Amino acid sequence: MERVSKMVTEKPVVIFSKTGCCMSYSIKSFFSDLGVNTAVYELDEMQRAGREIEAVLSNLGCNPTVPVVFIGGQMVGGESEVMSLHLQGALKPKLKKAGALWV
């Protein structure tokens, strides 16, 4: 848990992903299109550490465990939660508050 806590505070937006996951690809593309510079951790490329992180994410209630987005060190959730925030008009203010978006 300590490792994940440190990782999610290194950048304003952190995405835990897997290279072959289409939802992970979509969420990474979405943030890129918004102009947000994210830290992306590809769990399937991290071997044992990736499995350990995935277990921590699962214990935090993430189901599925990828993609998972953290903004400002706080877990937002997966693609549906991010899109829900976006449609409600709450995502951009959250990104601005975290220092991930300037406009």
Side-chain angles (χ1 to χ4, degrees), residues 53-79:
I53 292 167
E54 197 166 1
V56 169
L57 295 174
S58 180
N59 289 338
L60 290 174
C62 301
N63 186 20
T65 54
V66 293
V68 176
V69 177
F70 286 78
I71 299 175
Q74 296 187 346
M75 185 174 75
V76 172
E79 185 176 34

Side-chain angles (χ1 to χ4, degrees), residues 29-88:
S29 296
F30 174 72
F31 279 106
S32 177
D33 289 348
L34 288 177
V36 175
N37 187 15
T38 61
V40 177
Y41 294 98
E42 301 289 357
L43 300 182
D44 56 334
E45 293 181 345
M46 298 174 72
Q47 300 170 351
R48 182 174 177 223
R51 290 189 299 276
E52 291 171 359
I53 292 167
E54 197 166 1
V56 169
L57 295 174
S58 180
N59 289 338
L60 290 174
C62 301
N63 186 20
T65 54
V66 293
V68 176
V69 177
F70 286 78
I71 299 175
Q74 296 187 346
M75 185 174 75
V76 172
E79 185 176 34
S80 61
E81 290 83 7
V82 170
M83 289 301 134
S84 187
L85 282 175
H86 180 61
L87 292 173
Q88 294 168 10

